[in-house]
Every structure is written in C-alpha cells, then in structure tokens.
Amino acid sequence: MISNQKIYNYLIELENNNNRDWYHENKELRIEVNKEFENIIQELINQIGIFDSSILDLKPKDLTFKQVRDTRFSHDKSPYNPVLRAHLGPKGKLPISVGYYLFIGANNKTFLGGGLFTGMFKEATEMIRKYIVEHGDEFENILNEPVFKESYCLKGEKLKNVPHGYNKDHPQVELLKYKSW
C-alpha cells in the first residue's frame, strides 16, 4: 500500500512539473496514488456510513474529480490540478449539494468537510437564505451549540455585502452573506 507521504510527494512533484510530459511519464505512480486515494475514500464511506447510510452504496472511483483543468477561461494555463478531490453525496459526486468533501493538496494541505456547497446552484443558495431569514435563531443556535463548536465550524465562500433583496439589518446578516454552508 502506498503511504500518504507518497501521495503528498506526488502532488508536490505535479505542482512543480505541471506539464503534459511529466504527467504522462509518471502514469504508473499516478495510478498508484489514485488507488490509494480511492482506499481513503472507501474508509471514509465506511466510517461516515455508520451515521449516514445514504452514502454506503457509493463507489470511490465514481466520487473523484479529474486532475485535468479546463484552462479556456483561466489566467492560469497549467494543465493539471495538483490536488485530489472527492465529493460524497447521497447521489454520488453530482449534483454537488449536501454531502462530504475531501481535498488533499501538496504540502499536507488536507481538508475534509461537510455541508451544502451551492456556488453553482443559485436555487439552493436562495433556499438556504430563505430558511435563514425565517429560522435564523434556530440556525445560529446550532452553530453556537458547544458540542457542535468542539468539532465543527462554518466556512465557505462569502459575499462582502448583503445579497441583493435581503435586509442589511437582519439579525443573521453575516450568515446570509455565505454562498456555501
């Protein structure tokens, strides 16, 4: 079995050699790293499945995102993402909505989170904001619950200003600025 350090080393090398030649020359290593990543995902499925059975039938290979980047509209023309990413949701990786997200990047930059990523889904963003407007105290009570705060925090992309159509004096105005929860 490949070590996690080997995953990080591979990602560092990809970050430093982000070109087609290096990528294809290291195909065997890439396959090993992807297999280990899928093993990690399977372990997550097993552990999360203890309290969330909606993901138990998922297959790790179906949950990962490709490393090949679409550079058409980007200033960064590097062809590959030097990260490994997976989304574990009740319906797999797509549509991206409520679920769990694993990100492994170079230099031990690892992130595991859960929640609702709505950046691409305006209807979902509006649905959550409407809920916050109507039930903001309930939402805030959950976030401030000591047991919740021990292990979790609210993070996500956030607007600088109050979203159009929302009252800037709303008691949970800072929660309304989020685009993901």
Side-chain angles (χ1 to χ4, degrees):
M1 184 185 263
I2 190 170
S3 73
N4 286 342
Q5 190 57 51
K6 198 163 189 179
I7 289 174
Y8 289 122
N9 291 344
Y10 168 79
L11 294 172
I12 291 166
E13 287 298 316
L14 178 58
E15 189 172 65
N16 293 332
N17 300 286
N18 202 324
N19 62 69
R20 192 173 180 350
D21 290 339
W22 187 91
Y23 188 78
H24 290 289
E25 287 168 8
N26 289 278
K27 182 179 179 177
E28 285 183 31
L29 177 58
R30 183 173 71 250
I31 290 169
E32 280 182 59
V33 166
N34 285 330
K35 284 196 184 307
E36 180 59 23
F37 186 54
E38 289 172 12
N39 290 339
I40 292 169
I41 295 167
Q42 185 60 58
E43 185 59 29
L44 277 175
I45 290 169
N46 295 342
Q47 293 301 313
I48 293 170
I50 293 169
F51 59 86
D52 182 354
S53 62
S54 72
I55 64 163
L56 283 174
D57 293 329
L58 300 176
K59 304 290 181 247
K61 188 173 187 128
D62 299 334
L63 305 173
T64 62
F65 293 93
K66 294 181 180 178
Q67 288 185 302
V68 177
R69 294 182 63 244
D70 180 356
T71 61
R72 291 176 296 173
F73 306 107
S74 175
H75 293 294
D76 178 3
K77 298 298 182 188
S78 54
Y80 306 103
N81 271 322
V83 299
L84 297 173
R85 302 170 297 147
H87 182 268
L88 294 72
K91 295 181 180 179
K93 93 176 155 185
L94 296 173
I96 299 173
S97 58
V98 174
Y100 309 93
Y101 181 75
L102 175 62
F103 174 101
I104 299 177
N107 300 313
N108 295 323
K109 294 178 184 172
T110 300
F111 170 79
L112 174 64
L116 180 66
F117 175 76
T118 62
M120 298 172 9
F121 305 101
K122 291 182 182 181
E123 300 83 20
T125 303
E126 288 304 312
M127 182 181 73
I128 298 297
R129 286 184 178 144
K130 184 178 182 215
Y131 189 89
I132 291 170
V133 166
E134 295 172 3
H135 307 279
D137 290 337
E138 177 186 342
F139 197 81
E140 207 161 36
N141 287 340
I142 292 168
L143 294 174
N144 292 321
E145 186 69 37
V147 174
F148 181 89
K149 288 176 83 167
E150 272 180 36
S151 300
Y152 307 103
C153 63
L154 178 62
K155 290 193 176 200
E157 197 174 342
K158 196 173 178 182
L159 299 170
K160 290 180 184 176
N161 299 311
V162 179
H164 180 71
Y166 290 90
N167 182 350
K168 65 181 180 181
D169 297 322
H170 190 278
Q172 287 81 28
V173 70
E174 290 304 311
L175 293 175
L176 293 172
K177 291 180 183 178
Y178 279 92
K179 294 166 64 175
S180 296
W181 294 267

